[in-house]
Amino acid sequence: MTLYSGFFYLLAVIITVATALTITSRNLVYAVIYLVISFLGTALLFYLLGAPMLAALEAIIYAGAIMVLFLMIIMLIQVDEQEGVVSLLNQCFFVIAVIGTTFSLVMLLLYANPGSFLPLQAGMVTPRQFGAFIFQRYWLAVEVVSFLLLVALVGALFLSRSQSKEATYGVKR
Amino acid sequence: MIVSYGEVLGLAVCLFFMGMICVATRRNLIMILIGVEIMLNASGIAFVGAALRWRSLDGQAFVLFLMAVAAAEVAVGLALIVYAHRHTGTINGDKYNLMKG
């Protein structure tokens, strides 16, 4: 086991445990904090897999912006009611069917593809190469995504209008 | 020398299942959104591993777009949650059983 694979297993354990704590914790704030740990581990994993640019973006956008947005909304609306949980034991057959089908499909994909279990060679893509690739090959997609973000901004603004403005504009709901 | 692509994909599948279980079992709208985030993140791990496996930058480019889509989805989703909370007073998904709430 080389140093890199040791790092990978350590990060995999951290990410998995943090995610498991996220989906089981009752307190929403704790869930978000555990998810931040999981996303920071994912950022380190991206760096290990040769994507330093994506590692930085993961830490900034996911662990920074999105999680702060979640925290803000959790603190904005009072969540004090007892939450019911759907038990998966009632749908045991369905759960086993879904997980079994997906695992068998992934295994089929891996074994049909020679070289899936060979160790990956470490590589590194510099942010300069990544940016040049993005803006040469996928420039149209970058424009579409920026337009999507604009639409999301307008949609969020539209949904969060205050009631008094609604009355002022005469909008009926 | 890092681990094989199969192990990276195994980690991604495990995380995806955790997100799916979170979406299926929790009834809190914010936890459902967090589950969707976990699933998107898991697919990003699979994409980055594939980019290293096939020595192609396309996988990393897709993760960039995936992050933008996740950001847009979270913005609109949380705005919808705030809207629903303002109009019904709850964010429990089981309580939305009235029309003209």
Side-chain angles (χ1 to χ4, degrees):
Chain A
M1 188 159 88
T2 62
L3 186 64
Y4 279 158
S5 58
F7 273 138
F8 176 81
Y9 290 126
L10 182 67
L11 286 175
V13 168
I14 290 175
I15 294 169
T16 314
V17 170
T19 310
L21 285 174
T22 299
I23 67 171
T24 52
S25 74
R26 292 269 138 213
N27 193 333
L28 285 180
V29 180
Y30 287 168
V32 170
I33 298 295
Y34 286 133
L35 199 57
V36 167
I37 295 173
S38 166
F39 282 158
L40 287 179
T42 310
L44 287 177
L45 186 64
F46 282 177
Y47 191 82
L48 185 69
L49 292 177
M53 180 74 186
L54 289 179
L57 285 180
E58 174 95 11
I60 294 169
I61 297 179
Y62 262 112
I66 293 182
M67 288 301 116
V68 167
L69 201 61
F70 268 112
L71 270 185
M72 203 183 75
I73 296 300
I74 288 169
M75 291 171 183
L76 192 67
I77 57 185
Q78 312 92 322
V79 189
D80 51 5
E81 63 207 47
Q82 197 61 32
E83 177 199 1
V85 169
V86 177
S87 174
L88 280 182
L89 294 177
N90 298 329
Q91 292 107 5
C92 206
F93 171 74
F94 184 69
V95 172
I96 290 175
V98 168
I99 292 182
T101 310
T102 315
F103 259 119
S104 50
L105 280 179
V106 168
M107 279 299 144
L108 196 68
L109 189 74
L110 286 179
Y111 280 105
N113 203 328
S116 285
F117 291 102
L118 296 178
L120 296 166
Q121 298 294 319
M124 188 67 80
V125 180
T126 63
R128 180 185 293 266
Q129 289 171 332
F130 184 62
F133 178 80
I134 284 278
F135 281 103
Q136 280 169 4
R137 181 80 65 86
Y138 288 110
W139 58 272
L140 185 61
V142 171
E143 299 300 324
V144 171
V145 156
S146 64
F147 195 71
L148 173 74
L149 284 172
L150 177 69
V151 170
L153 174 71
V154 174
L157 274 179
F158 178 76
L159 283 173
S160 60
R161 288 167 310 165
S162 63
Q163 301 286 350
S164 58
K165 268 193 189 152
E166 229 173 67
T168 312
Y169 292 145
V171 179
K172 296 241 175 74
R173 65 177 171 88
Chain B
M1 303 284 277
I2 323 180
V3 293
S4 66
Y5 178 57
E7 290 166 77
V8 179
L9 203 58
L11 173 66
V13 169
C14 280
L15 287 181
F16 194 88
F17 279 139
M18 283 191 195
M20 208 153 75
I21 288 171
C22 183
V23 170
T25 57
R26 305 298 293 262
R27 290 278 63 94
N28 194 322
L29 286 186
I30 292 180
M31 283 311 288
I32 291 176
L33 213 54
I34 283 177
V36 174
E37 287 302 305
I38 293 172
M39 288 199 280
L40 283 172
N41 194 43
S43 62
I45 290 176
F47 268 122
V48 173
L52 188 64
R53 159 82 173 78
W54 279 282
R55 297 274 148 192
S56 160
L57 270 177
D58 298 279
Q60 296 195 9
F62 272 94
V63 176
L64 185 71
F65 301 136
L66 198 141
M67 281 180 189
V69 170
E73 173 248 336
V74 162
V76 176
L78 285 177
L80 274 174
I81 288 176
V82 169
Y83 185 83
H85 180 263
R86 190 189 293 156
H87 284 254
T88 64
T90 178
I91 58 166
N92 191 338
D94 285 340
K95 297 277 176 62
Y96 298 135
N97 49 11
L98 293 176
M99 300 186 86
K100 288 194 71 175

